[in-house]
């Protein structure tokens, strides 16, 4: 019986499908030659199946193997590391598939397949990818079912169905293992590329950069508030402060000679002076917001938060300019919890070096603007007064808020303030900060996001790239750094309602929105609903599944078990698995023990029951005709109806040549109903 | 199927008032099974066997079993022929198409089992030479249930070889009157017309296998068999061979009744004659009563 050890033909199709599906995630992002290799392998197998080719010999396979290894090395520069390793694995997987002859080989390919499709999750952990991996595993399981059913005549479709049932049955078990098996700290630090950031904030600001961002509806981050939610006009998500201006571009800068340990505070390190001051005031303030931010990968280190953030999780630092800095660039989704206390920033003083930096201006830029600033300074009594004048200037002069500002010539500051007067938030923030510095008020530009919209389904907020914003902060004696948003003076709608509504309200804005394809998010139609739902699922996936990390797990286990000890976890696992297995076993027993009666059988017993109830009790062992006779004896008027019923019934039920169809069953029921009424 | 009705009518002319038993005997022959008739002497067993042989035009032999009988008396023996200087086989009475084994329980177990083996295998091996028995081959054995002195009772395992066991019983008064008024029975048997020949009978028994049995019917048969096994009034339940025999008999009964599919009535009709002789009750029980009660208690339609 050597045949039995061969892979049955219907399973060979499943196997080809499984190999293809498992490899696709790698093929999509890997080098092109890998797709070529897989196509070649599948083509060869197909030709072999058609008996136009014999399986390639050892020589050809060896050459292919050497070629695949060499190409992997050529493409990645090495053979280890996650990307190169997975690429090599997928190539070897395809080559192993090429040499499947016996069941044994197929088992190797299938087991390898489970591993290969698992590696897809190294690079992407979206719910979609998870579902895709489950699909791959179902197809692989179909192969297993097929191989083990090689001696039956079941079709490949049935194997797929059975595999689907097996997969669905395994999901509760998977959830138990997910919840209870202790998370181990990674044995090695995987530097996986992850989703590449397509758009996002850069570490500098020059005209046109933020308006570019505004054309993207991509997600920047999500926020889940616990408790109070600040009003939209207060939701300024600070990302970076920019202090150095070269006449065109604002850049991040720290005063010369500033040590990183004084500038950044990490939990667990020595607290700098400014942080102690902040912390001492933290508990006095009433107004505070607790929230979790789930940042999309940006490949940058800065994180977004409301003013005066106190990080509640590790792995990030608080900088002296009141923003959060991650320890590593954000290459995968990152969730962090923050408590923000808006009212305490005045306690940090301004060092002379910082003051000098915050007043510095490029030599040759903005001659006219400087004149204007000097004039304001002379006429004003305080820094606050100067900023009010500047805002009034923006409001009174014909400034215009637009996403498509005209190009600025040689001196951007003067050109914008006195000639074009059409601009976007970055123009206003930049020129306002310039004017403040020229008037002797320490000022800086802050870039980040403003606003964010709430998802209909959840409690969380979505902040998209088009929420990108720039504003200013000025230093007021006794009040500390104070936020001033000059854009609000020009286009209050932008702050109060958000960019989209602001544009909706202006005529050219609407056209622009349509151009950018942003309108669809606001029209409330089916698309909006679906996209809201997708976002909600994604958000929950992030918070409940990917967010279920070691800390979360130990909290959960503690509340479940009292104390987290290996013994208790083991007992909980055993109990949970036993309950599940018991449930399955019970279900199986119940299903086999309680085969459903067919309609024909129910029809008979209904009549039997009725006759027993109305007349003398009847024994169980009556053939339809005997039942008819028993009825005729007791109800002579029903004799004809009974005989009609019994003849029809025995023909339908006992002649395998005429299994009852729907119409006949209906007729039988009507015969029975007629008889039923006669039994009184 | 008119031929079958005609055959029944023919046999009915000599075995009066026993339609049910005749139909069972015919069913047994169509199902290719052997028949055991358990009755007192003089009830018409021989007449029945002889009449069956006549209407089906079968070669017929009769053996009266006695306690001094040897297997060779039935199967045959090799004899030395001085003329040819060789052994030649003298065939026993078993080489026939219908063998009436009268009072089978009088023979020793050795002789009984020689016959029963021949019945099962439908061939005889003598001196290392295997010879097939004629086709078709039926055994109608009789047994006296009352006079048990000096008999060797057939054990259940041997009884299993008989597809059916029937008993004729006394005739009804008016039938007996008719019998008394009639002429010589032997004469009448000889006058019976053959209805089908033996080839026709073989063909008919092939048709039996084509009688349709629905899944629901098989389910009923299985539940009946199961009931004998789980009923602790029996020493042991029916064997799978008995189950196959029951189904075959039911098919043949359906054919004799002129139907091409099996009804539960057919199963019930052959049930006592197929099941009773294979079962034995624990002390004090009547096998007939218990097998009958199973027909009442086992649901015909699954529930």
């Amino acid at each position: 019986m050597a045949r039995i050890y061969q892979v049955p033909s219907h399973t060979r199709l499943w196997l080809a499908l499984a190999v293809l599906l498992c490899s696709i995630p790698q093929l999509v992002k890997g080098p092109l030659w890998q797709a070529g290799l897989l196509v070649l392998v599948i083509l060869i197998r197909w030709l072999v199946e058609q008996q136009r080719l014999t399986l390639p010999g050892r020589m050809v396979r060896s050459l292919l193997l050497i070629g695949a290894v060499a190409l992997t090395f050529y493409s990645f520069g090495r053979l280890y590391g996650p990307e190169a390793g997975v690429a090599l694995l997928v190539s070897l997987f395809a080559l192993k598939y090429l040499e499947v002859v016996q069941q044994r080989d197929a088992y190797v390919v299938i087991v390898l397949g489970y591993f290969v499709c698992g590696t897809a999750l190294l690079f992407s952990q979206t719910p979609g990818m998870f579902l895709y991996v489950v699909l791959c595993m179902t197809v692989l399981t179909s192969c297993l079912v097929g191989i083990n059913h090689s001696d039956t005549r079941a079709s490949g479709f049935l194997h797929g169905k059975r595999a689907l049932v097996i997969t669905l049955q395994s999901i509760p078990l998977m959830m138990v293992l997910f919840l209870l098996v202790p998370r181990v700290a990674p044995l090695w630090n995987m530097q996986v590329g992850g989703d590449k950031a397509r758009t996002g904030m850069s570490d500098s600001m020059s005209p046109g950069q933020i308006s570019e961002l505004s054309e993207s509806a991509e997600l920047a981050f999500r926020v889940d508030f616990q408790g109070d939610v600040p009003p939209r006009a207060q939701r300024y998500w600070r990302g970076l402060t920019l202090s150095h201006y070269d006449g065109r571009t604002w850049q991040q800068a720290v005063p010369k000679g500033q040590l990183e340990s004084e500038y950044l505070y990490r939990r667990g390190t020595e607290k700098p002076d400014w942080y102690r001051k902040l912390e001492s005031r933290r508990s006095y303030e009433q107004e505070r917001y607790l929230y979790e931010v789930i940042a999309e990968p940006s490949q940058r280190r800065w994180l977004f938060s409301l003013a005066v953030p106190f990080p509640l999780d590790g792995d990030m630092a608080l900088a002296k300019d009141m923003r959060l800095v991650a320890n590593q660039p954000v290459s995968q989704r990152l969730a962090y919890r923050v408590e923000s206390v808006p009212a305490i920033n005045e306690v940090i003083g301004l060092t002379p070096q910082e003051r000098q930096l915050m007043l510095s201006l490029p030599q040759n830029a903005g001659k006219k603007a400087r004149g204007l600033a000097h004039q304001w300074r002379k006429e004003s009594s305080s820094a606050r007064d100067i900023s009010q004048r500047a805002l009034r200037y923006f409001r009174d002069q014909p400034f215009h808020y637009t996403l498509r500002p005209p190009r600025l010539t040689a001196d951007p500051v003067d050109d914008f303030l006195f000639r074009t007067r059409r601009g976007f938030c970055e123009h206003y923030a930049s020129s306002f900060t310039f004017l403040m510095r020229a008037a002797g008020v320490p000022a800086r530009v802050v870039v980040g996001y403003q606003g964010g919209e709430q998802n209909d389904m959840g409690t969380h907020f979505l902040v998209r790239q088009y929420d990108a914003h720039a504003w200013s902060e000025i230093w007021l004696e006794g009040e500390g750094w104070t936020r001033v948003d000059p854009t609000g003076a020009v286009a209050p709608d932008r702050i109060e309602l958000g960019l989209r509504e602001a544009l909706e309200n202006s005529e050219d804005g609407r056209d622009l929105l349509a151009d950018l394809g942003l309108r669809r998010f606001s029209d409330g139609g089916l698309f909006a609903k679906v996209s809201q739902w997708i976002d909600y699922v994604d958000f929950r996936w992030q918070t409940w599944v990917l967010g279920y990390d070691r800390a979360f797990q130990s909290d959960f286990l503690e509340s479940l078990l009292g104390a987290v000890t290996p013994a208790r976890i083991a007992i909980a696992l055993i109990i949970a698995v036993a309950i599940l297995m018991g449930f399955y076993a019970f279900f199986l027993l119940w299903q086999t023990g309680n085969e459903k009666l067919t309609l024909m059988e129910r029809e008979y017993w209904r009549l039997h029951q009725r006759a027993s109830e109305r007349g003398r009790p009847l024994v169980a062992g009556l053939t339809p005709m005997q039942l008819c006779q028993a009825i005729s004896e007791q109800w002579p008027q029903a004799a004809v109806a009974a005989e009609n019923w019994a003849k029809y019934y025995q023909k339908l039920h006992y002649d395998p040549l005429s299994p009852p169809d729907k119409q006949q069953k209906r007729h039988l029921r009507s015969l029975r109903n007629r008889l039923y009424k006669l039994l009184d | 199927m008119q031929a079958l009705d005609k055959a029944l009518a023919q046999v009915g002319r000599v075995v009066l008032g026993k339609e049910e038993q005749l139909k069972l005997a015919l069913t047994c022959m169509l199902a290719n099974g052997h028949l055991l008739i358990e009755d007192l002497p003089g009830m018409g067993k021989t007449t029945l066997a002889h009449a069956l042989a006549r209407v089906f035009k079968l070669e017929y032999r009769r053996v009266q079993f006695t306690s001094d009988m040897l297997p060779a008396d039935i199967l045959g023996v090799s004899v030395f022929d001085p003329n040819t200087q060789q052994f030649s086989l003298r065939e026993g009475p078993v080489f026939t198409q219908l063998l009436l084994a009268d009072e089978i329980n009088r023979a020793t177990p050795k002789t009984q089992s020689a016959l029963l083996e021949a019945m099962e295998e439908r061939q005889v091996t003598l001196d290392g030479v295997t010879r097939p028995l004629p086709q078709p081959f039926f055994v109608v054995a009789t047994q006296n249930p009352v006079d048990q002195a000096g008999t060797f009772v057939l054990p259940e395992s041997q009884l299993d070889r008989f597809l059916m066991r029937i008993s004729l019983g006394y005739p009804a008064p008016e039938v007996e009157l008719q019998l008394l008024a009639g002429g010589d029975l032997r004469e009448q048997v000889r006058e019976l017309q053959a209805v089908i020949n033996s080839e026709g009978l073989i063909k008919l028994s092939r048709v039996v296998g084509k009688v349709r049995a629905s899944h629901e019917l098989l389910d009923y048969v299985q539940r009946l068999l199961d009931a004998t096994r789980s009923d602790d009034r029996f020493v042991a339940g029916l064997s799978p061979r008995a189950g196959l025999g029951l189904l075959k008999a039911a098919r043949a009964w359906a054919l004799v009744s002129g139907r091409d599919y099996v009804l539960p009535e057919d199963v019930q009709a052959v049930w006592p004659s197929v099941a009773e002789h294979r079962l034995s009750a624990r002390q004090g029980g009547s096998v007939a009563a218990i097998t009958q009660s199973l027909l009442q208690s086992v649901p015909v339609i699954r529930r």
Side-chain angles (χ1 to χ4, degrees):
Chain A
M1 295 285 277
R3 248 189 90 71
I4 271 228
Y5 297 108
Q6 296 211 329
V7 183
S9 61
H10 46 63
T11 301
R12 272 175 259 162
L13 196 67
W14 276 116
L15 199 60
L17 185 66
V19 170
L20 189 68
L21 286 179
C22 289
S23 310
I24 280 178
Q26 167 64 20
L27 300 186
V28 167
K29 65 184 180 56
L32 198 61
W33 61 264
Q34 281 204 299
L37 178 68
L38 189 74
V39 169
L40 178 71
V41 165
I42 287 182
L43 187 72
I44 291 177
R45 291 246 44 142
W46 184 74
L47 287 174
V48 169
E49 192 81 6
Q50 302 286 312
Q51 304 195 326
R52 290 192 216 165
L53 207 69
T54 53
L55 271 181
R58 188 168 297 200
M59 192 70 192
V60 178
R61 283 182 287 158
S62 304
L63 282 177
L64 279 172
L65 175 66
I66 293 167
V69 174
L71 279 170
T72 309
F73 190 76
Y74 168 78
S75 300
F76 295 91
R78 54 182 185 172
L79 293 176
Y80 53 90
E83 272 109 351
V86 170
L88 189 62
L89 180 69
V90 171
S91 301
L92 297 184
F93 178 53
L95 291 178
K96 183 69 210 171
Y97 171 63
L98 182 63
E99 57 179 20
V100 170
V101 178
Q102 294 192 333
Q103 282 192 10
R104 207 179 43 188
D105 309 319
Y107 278 121
V108 172
V109 169
I110 291 166
V111 173
L112 206 56
Y114 282 110
F115 191 70
V116 168
C117 66
T119 58
L121 291 174
L122 281 177
F123 303 99
S124 164
Q125 290 126 16
T126 59
M129 182 55 91
F130 172 75
L131 288 179
Y132 183 80
V133 170
V134 170
L135 172 76
C136 287
M137 293 196 167
T138 310
V139 174
L140 285 164
T141 310
S142 304
C143 299
L144 277 182
V145 174
I147 289 181
N148 284 293
H149 276 221
S150 52
D151 48 350
T152 66
R153 291 206 190 130
S155 70
F157 175 73
L158 278 179
H159 299 152
K161 210 170 130 188
R162 174 156 296 186
L164 187 67
V165 171
I166 291 175
T167 310
L168 290 179
Q169 282 171 339
S170 70
I171 283 178
L173 203 61
M174 179 191 79
M175 277 156 65
V176 166
L177 296 179
F178 176 79
L179 288 175
L180 294 183
V181 171
R183 294 283 185 286
V184 195
L187 295 175
W188 66 93
N189 195 6
M190 288 266 245
Q191 285 297 332
V192 177
D195 296 333
K196 295 277 180 290
R198 280 138 292 197
T199 48
M201 291 261 154
S202 70
D203 59 351
S204 61
M205 184 186 85
S206 48
Q209 240 167 31
I210 290 185
S211 52
E212 229 169 70
L213 277 186
S214 305
E215 307 195 356
S216 161
E218 223 168 85
L219 195 64
F221 55 90
R222 297 186 174 97
V223 191
D224 192 16
F225 282 100
Q226 279 147 14
D228 294 342
V229 177
R232 168 179 275 277
Q234 295 300 315
R235 290 204 297 269
Y236 280 85
W237 303 99
R238 302 170 83 258
L240 279 175
T241 62
L242 308 175
S243 323
H244 178 260
Y245 187 50
D246 65 359
R248 188 161 193 94
T249 304
W250 286 91
Q251 273 177 323
Q252 238 189 327
V254 286
K256 274 180 193 142
Q258 181 101 40
L259 292 172
E260 202 203 56
S261 61
E262 285 171 24
Y263 188 70
L264 287 178
Y265 163 67
R266 277 194 178 80
R267 273 162 66 137
T269 61
E270 201 195 330
K271 294 173 183 171
D273 260 359
W274 57 266
Y275 185 76
R276 285 216 188 94
K277 286 182 190 163
L278 278 181
E279 211 176 28
S280 65
R281 292 292 305 279
R282 182 177 170 184
S283 50
Y284 292 116
E285 295 297 334
Q286 288 297 314
E287 195 189 356
R288 56 183 64 226
Y289 301 109
L290 198 65
Y291 52 92
E292 185 176 23
V293 179
I294 298 132
E296 295 292 304
S298 62
Q299 311 301 339
R300 314 279 186 187
R301 284 177 60 190
W302 53 86
L303 304 171
F304 299 91
S305 60
L306 297 173
V308 195
F310 292 91
L312 300 178
D313 299 326
D315 224 29
M316 61 186 67
L318 178 64
K320 199 181 173 187
D321 53 354
M322 303 303 130
R323 63 194 175 87
L324 297 175
V325 184
N327 292 349
Q328 274 122 28
V330 182
S331 59
Q332 300 198 339
R333 274 191 185 165
L334 176 71
Y336 53 94
R337 286 183 302 146
V338 186
E339 185 182 56
S340 283
V341 187
I344 55 169
N345 59 357
E346 86 268 25
V347 294
I348 312 173
L350 197 63
T351 64
Q353 292 92 341
E354 280 169 351
R355 175 177 289 272
Q356 194 194 343
L357 177 67
M358 297 305 170
L359 287 172
S360 66
L361 285 175
Q363 288 291 314
N364 307 318
K367 292 249 163 60
K368 262 175 106 175
R370 278 174 210 247
L372 185 66
H374 285 308
Q375 189 194 334
W376 287 343
R377 188 178 185 178
K378 263 182 246 156
E379 292 167 4
S380 309
S381 54
S382 67
R384 179 175 285 281
D385 202 22
I386 296 173
S387 82
Q388 292 299 331
R389 275 172 182 271
L391 290 179
R392 203 177 310 135
Y393 178 77
F394 282 123
R395 210 174 295 135
D396 295 346
Q397 299 297 321
F399 281 96
H400 195 67
Y401 181 76
T402 173
L403 271 179
R404 301 233 168 119
R407 273 184 71 86
L408 299 174
T409 50
D411 190 339
V413 181
D414 279 359
D415 204 30
F416 173 70
L417 277 176
F418 302 106
R419 191 177 69 85
T420 65
R421 291 182 169 171
R422 296 166 71 82
F424 194 54
C425 58
E426 54 201 350
H427 299 92
Y428 295 101
S430 170
S431 48
F432 179 82
T433 310
F434 186 95
L435 286 168
M436 286 298 106
R437 286 189 174 184
V441 180
R444 64 192 179 192
V445 172
V446 186
V447 290
Y449 295 87
Q450 203 278 325
E453 61 197 293
Q454 191 160 18
N455 184 294
D456 290 347
M457 257 62 73
T459 56
H460 70 288
F461 286 81
L462 301 168
V463 179
R464 299 180 185 278
Q465 295 298 354
Y466 61 59
D467 290 318
H469 194 49
W471 61 95
S472 300
E473 283 179 351
I474 55 172
W475 176 263
L476 299 176
E477 288 302 333
E479 287 182 45
W481 286 107
T482 307
R483 182 178 68 225
V484 182
D485 190 349
T487 313
V490 181
D493 281 358
R494 164 68 184 88
I495 310 305
E496 295 295 331
L497 303 173
L499 173 72
R500 264 200 353 244
E501 282 77 2
L503 290 176
E504 291 272 355
N505 291 346
S506 73
E507 215 160 282
D508 58 337
R510 267 200 293 278
D511 300 341
L512 187 59
L513 276 179
D515 282 0
L516 302 181
L518 292 183
R519 274 189 93 138
R520 58 189 181 188
F521 284 96
S522 57
D523 61 10
L526 185 67
F527 182 84
K529 285 226 173 67
V530 170
S531 70
Q532 293 264 10
W533 264 108
I534 290 173
D535 178 76
Y536 180 68
V537 168
D538 201 27
F539 172 72
R540 281 298 169 216
W541 176 261
Q542 180 63 44
T543 50
W544 288 350
V545 179
L546 301 186
Y548 188 74
D549 54 8
R550 264 178 105 189
F552 200 151
Q553 185 186 37
S554 69
D555 285 354
F556 171 75
L557 290 180
E558 211 165 279
S559 66
L560 189 74
L561 308 173
V564 184
T565 64
R568 288 194 179 199
I569 293 177
I571 291 169
L573 260 176
I574 290 169
I575 291 176
V577 171
I579 288 174
L580 270 179
M581 290 299 168
F583 180 74
Y584 289 146
F586 174 78
F587 185 72
L588 272 180
L589 282 178
W590 179 77
Q591 217 181 18
T592 48
N594 190 9
E595 274 177 90
K596 271 185 130 183
L597 293 184
T598 63
L599 179 122
M600 295 296 293
E601 287 155 354
R602 283 199 304 273
E603 282 292 300
Y604 170 89
W605 286 110
R606 276 173 137 176
L607 195 60
H608 191 279
Q609 197 181 348
R610 175 87 165 191
S612 299
E613 278 168 5
R614 298 290 165 102
R616 63 179 153 75
L618 300 173
V619 296
L622 289 182
T623 66
M625 198 50 91
Q626 287 161 353
L627 178 61
C628 149
Q629 281 152 8
I631 289 172
S632 311
E633 275 167 31
Q634 297 178 67
W635 295 275
Q637 74 279 12
V640 179
E643 201 183 339
N644 284 342
W645 174 83
K647 277 187 177 157
Y648 201 70
Y649 188 96
Q650 72 181 17
K651 179 79 180 155
L652 284 192
H653 200 53
Y654 287 110
D655 189 354
L657 268 195
S658 60
D661 62 23
K662 248 186 193 155
Q663 202 185 339
Q664 287 169 320
K665 283 178 183 170
R666 214 175 300 139
H667 182 60
L668 182 77
R669 197 179 297 171
S670 74
L671 283 176
R672 200 252 306 148
N673 274 331
R674 214 172 298 160
L675 183 54
Y676 221 83
K677 283 175 202 141
L678 295 170
L679 304 186
D680 277 325
Chain B
M1 300 308 106
Q2 282 172 342
L4 288 176
D5 289 339
K6 221 183 268 174
L8 274 178
Q10 288 280 324
V11 183
R13 279 171 55 192
V14 289
V15 185
L16 297 168
K18 297 288 170 199
E19 285 78 17
E20 182 82 11
Q21 282 86 341
L22 289 184
K23 198 170 166 187
L24 279 172
L26 188 59
T27 300
C28 187
M29 286 181 83
L30 286 179
N32 230 344
H34 305 293
L35 182 67
L36 180 64
I37 306 179
E38 197 172 79
D39 241 326
L40 297 170
M43 292 293 197
K45 295 175 295 221
T46 315
T47 314
L48 171 64
H50 203 173
L52 285 173
R54 289 289 305 180
V55 294
F56 291 118
K57 217 175 173 184
L58 299 176
E59 198 185 324
Y60 168 76
R61 276 189 204 176
R62 181 181 166 193
V63 181
Q64 175 66 49
F65 277 54
T66 56
S67 56
D68 57 355
M69 210 171 210
L70 293 172
D73 294 329
I74 299 168
L75 306 180
V77 67
S78 296
V79 286
F80 186 74
D81 186 345
N83 296 331
T84 57
Q85 294 285 311
Q86 272 180 340
F87 282 97
S88 65
L89 183 76
R90 186 177 293 165
E91 290 180 347
V94 77
F95 287 90
T96 184
Q97 287 178 315
L98 196 151
L99 176 72
L100 175 63
D102 231 350
E103 298 201 80
I104 189 171
N105 54 343
R106 296 240 167 247
T108 55
K110 193 176 180 183
T111 312
Q112 284 174 4
S113 64
L115 173 65
L116 293 165
E117 260 180 65
M119 282 161 59
E120 185 67 18
E121 312 291 334
R122 290 170 195 275
Q123 63 185 25
V124 169
T125 304
L126 279 173
D127 292 341
V129 183
T130 300
R131 301 172 129 249
L133 293 174
Q135 285 268 8
F137 174 67
F138 298 108
V139 173
V140 177
T142 70
Q143 194 169 225
N144 184 344
V146 178
D147 182 16
Q148 297 291 352
T151 60
F152 301 91
V153 181
L154 288 170
E156 278 91 10
S157 62
Q158 304 277 39
L159 286 171
D160 206 24
R161 305 276 159 89
F162 291 98
L163 179 61
M164 284 190 188
R165 186 188 69 178
I166 58 173
S167 57
L168 295 169
Y170 294 113
E174 62 276 12
V175 173
E176 195 156 24
L177 260 179
Q178 213 181 323
L179 187 70
L180 294 172
D184 183 11
L185 269 179
R186 275 174 205 282
E187 214 42 46
Q188 287 178 19
V189 170
R190 261 184 229 118
E191 282 165 13
L192 286 181
Q193 295 294 311
V195 177
I196 317 171
N197 58 10
S198 58
E199 276 87 54
L201 191 62
I202 292 172
K203 267 184 206 154
L204 270 178
S205 66
R206 283 204 194 108
V207 176
V208 169
K210 288 180 186 147
V211 172
R212 300 187 291 275
S214 68
H215 176 77
E216 286 80 5
L217 184 104
L218 301 183
D219 192 56
Y220 175 53
V221 170
Q222 201 281 326
R223 278 182 286 116
L224 268 179
L225 296 174
D226 225 28
T228 65
R229 291 164 196 165
S230 57
D231 197 321
D232 51 11
R233 289 173 292 179
F234 291 126
V235 175
L238 287 175
S239 66
R241 178 160 65 189
L244 289 171
L246 177 62
L247 183 63
K248 197 162 189 189
R251 281 191 153 118
W253 183 273
L255 187 69
V256 174
S257 310
R259 229 177 309 100
D260 55 357
Y261 60 93
V262 189
L263 283 180
E265 278 89 348
D266 303 327
V267 180
Q268 294 189 346
V270 297
W271 170 250
S273 53
V274 173
E276 275 172 18
H277 65 287
R278 290 176 158 99
L279 293 166
S280 52
R282 290 185 197 279
Q283 73 259 30
S286 149
V287 176
I290 303 172
T291 41
Q292 200 59 43
S293 78
L294 287 183
L295 286 186
Q296 310 279 311
S297 61
V298 174
V300 175
I301 311 280
R302 194 166 59 107
R303 76 163 164 195

